[in-house]
Amino acid sequence: MRRLLFRRTLFGLFTLWVVSLVVFLATQALPGDAAQAILGREATPERLAALREQLNLGGSLPEQYFGWLGQLLSFNLGTSLAGGTPVVSAVGPMLLNSSILMLCAAVIAIPLAIGIGTWTALRKDSAVDHVTGIITLVLASLPEFVVGVLLVLLLATGVFHLFPAVFVLVPGEQVWSNPAQLVLPVLTLVLAVSPYIIRIMRATMLEVLESQYVQQARLKGLPERTVVLRHALPNAIGPVAQVIALQLAWLIGGVVIVEFLFRFPGVGFQLIDAVTNRDLPVVQALVIVIAIFYVAVNLLADVVTLAANPKVRTAS
Amino acid sequence: MSIGMSTRPAGNSARAGRTPRKQGLLRRALQSKRTVVGLVLTLAVLTVAFLGPYLAPHSATEFVAAPFSPAGIGGPFGTDNLGRDVLSRFLAGGQTLMILAIIATALGVGLGALVGVLAAYRRGWLDELLMRAGDVALAFPQIVLALLFLSIIGPELWLLVLMVGFGHLPRVARVVRGAALSVVERDFVKAAESVGIPRWRIMIGEIVPNISSTLAVEFGLRLTYSIGLVAGLSFLGLGMQPPAADWGLMINENRIALTISPWSVALPVIAIALLTVGTNLVTDGLAKASIGSDKGVTV
């Protein structure tokens, strides 16, 4: 198991290196001079020179790359073109906000989805099972911003007026100070990730319930509750852990659009803002930050998957 | 007795008449009600998107009333943020989204299938290289990569299509490789090789037709994602640019006034929702029907 983890960590680091290469080379894809292209009509000789310096546009290609990579490794993420502020000071709080949003969504979605999946598996072919099947299929097809807008129409502006439609962060307060504001963004993410987990949980549970050890447990006369909770569920969780991991990793991509929709002050919102303003140093830095986060979640997911699988866990 | 004599051969001939007729994947999928509903939804939204521009009462950029007029003033669904007719912009705004999503899907599934079949057929180092490269590509969120390039090169539609299409490539390649692995071992591939047919013709002429149901399911799945991604990037302001009419853009432009003029957001959102639900229902039906076809079972 340790060797597997070592290999996964190496692969994660390799992935990050490739990402850094892509992010760097993408800047080179700008036709002509990158600094000229970014500044456009606002280009003055001084600003051009300053930006070239900032983007490491002097020297040969490998020199530029290693210069930039060196800055990244020393946590110098560059300065924003728009505000002139160091990127790293803004990223910290944003990353925390995004993490809180995703953590809330995960903490609600995972137990809920596992519960619903198990429940529908136990009541296979009942009305509840069929209705859940259709609802999850429909939810799984909807893009996350469509889910979000529909929720806003339903719960914030159109039919009911229960929750605020956009997030307003009062300076000096934290994102969790006003929990009502968190409801819609979190609910959107929950509805976006749950369907897949419910479907795979139901399928795995059905398979496990057919197995011989579950029959054996039933024949021993154990109460159905014990059979399900002690015998079936732990064996079904293993394969489902992989899907949960994939969904959590997906959350990081999905959170970008959801944050933009609700104006939630997180990394995704900041990224879109930087993309619209073509604030290249910020875009580069945020893409790297998101990549690190993504690789870390994937790695964590691998650990959980391995730990949930008794065959791997016990093999030395 | 005579009744028994007459019914038995009739029953046999009916059964015998049914089995030899090979049913297509879609026809088998359409035996499920869900697939029919999905197909109807998909076709309905496609019809609106493609015929809409010709039915619109006003031009998509014509000012007809005060901004954010309620339904009934300026048009049956009111006006948008600049006072343009919501219905006309809705009717005009679906076509580009459909075309972009379909091209991106065709690109991703086409190239992905090619890479997948190549990897499965050639095996060896090429297979290993392609699949490991795919692993790296999969270890990065598709939308963030698209945002990176769109911010550098600018919101160009060709770039949008490329980013969405290439984002699908590694995922499709992996699935197709899995399906093709069992086909490349079959006798007819060896027979074709022994006659000296070029490898690329074996790949396209022999292997691809045998994984057509996998490709159909992949196309449906990726089309659903493409529609969401293209509309989503448009919603972020990185697709169609104003003053063009586009469903994703409409949602973004008008969401500040959801309370007074909900239709300018609701119409495009409902259309995108119905479309993706439709394509996903069809895909689900195709997937279920193709499970039977692999085992040679007619469902």
Side-chain angles (χ1 to χ4, degrees):
Chain A
M1 176 163 170
R2 223 177 250 168
R3 266 185 60 193
L4 253 170
L5 281 181
F6 181 69
R7 272 176 53 193
R8 301 302 302 176
T9 315
L10 271 189
F11 177 74
L13 289 175
F14 176 72
T15 308
L16 285 179
W17 175 71
V18 173
V19 169
S20 82
L21 210 59
V22 169
V23 169
F24 173 76
L25 288 178
T27 326
Q28 305 291 324
L30 276 176
D33 183 8
Q36 179 81 52
I38 292 166
L39 288 176
R41 256 180 276 161
E42 297 163 35
T44 60
E46 300 89 67
R47 292 190 66 179
L48 275 178
L51 186 59
R52 283 204 190 100
E53 174 77 17
Q54 198 185 331
L55 295 175
N56 290 305
L57 288 178
S60 69
L61 211 58
E63 269 174 37
Q64 291 182 32
Y65 173 65
F66 286 112
W68 177 73
L69 195 64
Q71 282 188 358
L72 270 186
L73 290 178
S74 56
F75 291 103
N76 177 2
L77 298 178
T79 45
S80 159
L81 290 181
T85 48
V87 178
V88 75
S89 64
V91 167
M94 299 277 179
L95 201 58
L96 178 70
N97 292 349
S98 292
S99 308
I100 289 168
L101 185 60
M102 280 188 287
L103 203 66
C104 287
V107 165
I108 297 172
I110 295 170
L112 186 78
I114 289 178
I116 295 177
T118 310
W119 189 47
T120 48
L122 292 173
R123 303 172 140 253
K124 186 175 178 262
D125 290 330
S126 69
V128 179
D129 185 33
H130 283 295
V131 171
T132 316
I134 292 169
I135 292 176
T136 52
L137 189 62
V138 167
L139 279 178
S141 19
L142 297 177
E144 59 272 30
F145 76 98
V146 169
V147 176
V149 174
L150 288 175
L151 282 179
V152 168
L153 281 170
L154 187 68
L155 298 177
T157 61
V159 188
F160 303 102
H161 299 268
L162 299 173
F163 306 104
V166 290
F167 202 95
V168 184
L169 185 65
V170 182
E173 278 193 4
Q174 300 297 333
V175 279
W176 57 84
S177 304
N178 189 351
Q181 293 193 327
L182 274 172
V183 173
L184 287 183
V186 169
L187 190 58
T188 306
L189 289 175
V190 168
L191 289 181
V193 293
S194 299
Y196 297 94
I197 308 180
I198 293 176
R199 299 185 74 159
I200 195 79
M201 186 68 213
R202 177 182 175 275
T204 319
M205 197 66 187
L206 282 177
E207 218 169 272
V208 170
L209 286 175
E210 294 290 311
S211 68
Q212 289 185 343
Y213 53 81
V214 168
Q215 280 182 11
Q216 172 77 18
R218 279 190 180 139
L219 289 175
K220 272 197 299 190
L222 292 177
E224 187 65 17
R225 196 187 154 82
T226 318
V227 173
V228 172
L229 292 181
R230 278 292 176 81
H231 295 255
L233 201 58
N235 284 292
I237 291 285
V240 175
Q242 187 87 46
V243 174
I244 293 177
L246 283 173
Q247 288 302 307
L248 286 186
W250 175 90
L251 254 183
I252 298 170
V255 91
V256 173
I257 277 192
V258 172
E259 283 182 6
F260 176 76
L261 172 65
F262 292 102
R263 303 189 162 278
F264 183 87
V267 177
F269 183 66
Q270 203 187 11
L271 177 65
I272 306 291
D273 198 44
V275 167
T276 337
N277 294 325
R278 299 192 74 185
D279 195 340
L280 211 54
V282 179
V283 174
Q284 286 183 327
L286 288 179
V287 169
I288 299 277
V289 167
I290 292 175
I292 293 172
F293 208 70
Y294 197 83
V295 168
V297 170
N298 267 326
L299 199 63
L300 187 74
D302 280 339
V303 176
V304 175
T305 313
L306 290 177
N309 186 342
K311 279 183 200 153
V312 183
R313 191 175 55 216
T314 48
S316 54
Chain B
M1 196 64 185
S2 67
I3 298 166
M5 290 285 279
S6 65
T7 45
R8 206 178 289 162
N12 271 344
S13 72
R15 216 178 301 149
R18 209 181 299 152
T19 31
R21 197 180 67 205
K22 208 170 175 245
Q23 286 182 311
L25 184 66
L26 185 63
R27 186 183 290 242
R28 245 179 302 128
L30 282 176
Q31 285 171 356
S32 150
K33 253 186 216 153
R34 285 187 190 182
T35 320
V36 179
V37 172
L39 198 64
V40 169
L41 284 178
T42 310
L43 290 179
V45 180
L46 280 179
T47 311
V48 169
F50 281 102
L51 293 184
Y54 306 103
L55 303 174
H58 298 279
S59 148
T61 49
E62 184 188 335
F63 303 107
V64 292
F68 292 129
S69 300
I73 299 174
F77 295 104
T79 60
D80 73 352
N81 61 331
L82 296 178
R84 297 165 296 193
D85 179 27
V86 167
L87 179 65
S88 303
R89 283 181 72 75
F90 169 70
L91 288 173
Q95 202 177 20
T96 323
L97 168 66
M98 302 300 139
I99 295 171
L100 293 182
I102 292 170
I103 298 176
T105 311
L107 185 79
V109 174
L111 289 179
L114 213 62
V115 171
V117 168
L118 188 70
Y121 188 41
R122 296 290 290 268
R123 304 303 301 268
W125 64 269
L126 187 71
D127 181 23
E128 192 69 19
L129 182 76
L130 288 173
M131 287 303 117
R132 291 293 85 78
D135 284 345
V136 174
L138 284 174
F140 199 69
Q142 193 177 355
I143 189 163
V144 176
L145 203 64
L147 286 174
L148 174 72
F149 280 90
L150 285 167
S151 74
I152 289 169
I153 299 175
E156 307 280 348
L157 292 186
W158 60 265
L159 185 64
L160 189 79
V161 168
L162 277 187
M163 293 317 297
V164 174
F166 275 96
H168 294 326
L169 204 159
R171 289 154 232 265
V172 176
R174 183 178 282 191
V175 174
V176 168
R177 175 182 173 271
L181 274 180
S182 63
V183 178
V184 297
E185 297 295 327
R186 303 253 283 271
D187 285 341
F188 59 82
V189 175
K190 300 212 167 66
E193 277 170 352
S194 64
V195 189
I197 297 174
R199 288 188 140 189
W200 63 271
R201 280 191 56 186
I202 295 179
M203 278 173 24
I204 292 166
E206 307 287 337
I207 300 173
V208 170
N210 280 289
I211 51 168
S212 56
S213 56
T214 306
L215 288 177
V217 173
E218 271 303 299
F219 191 88
L221 193 63
R222 299 303 151 195
L223 184 63
T224 310
Y225 289 151
S226 293
I227 295 164
L229 261 175
V230 172
L233 287 166
S234 259
F235 167 68
L236 295 176
L238 298 164
M240 295 276 279
Q241 295 299 308
D246 177 79
W247 289 349
L249 196 60
M250 276 180 84
I251 300 171
N252 193 13
E253 285 172 340
N254 300 311
R255 68 199 173 104
I256 45 165
L258 266 179
T259 28
I260 28 175
S261 171
W263 285 114
S264 50
V265 172
L267 280 182
V269 162
I270 291 169
I272 295 171
L274 292 180
L275 180 64
T276 48
V277 169
T279 52
N280 208 24
L281 283 174
V282 175
T283 309
D284 193 57
L286 289 176
K288 281 190 179 136
S290 73
I291 293 171
S293 79
D294 284 351
K295 292 174 186 163
V297 183
T298 33
V299 184

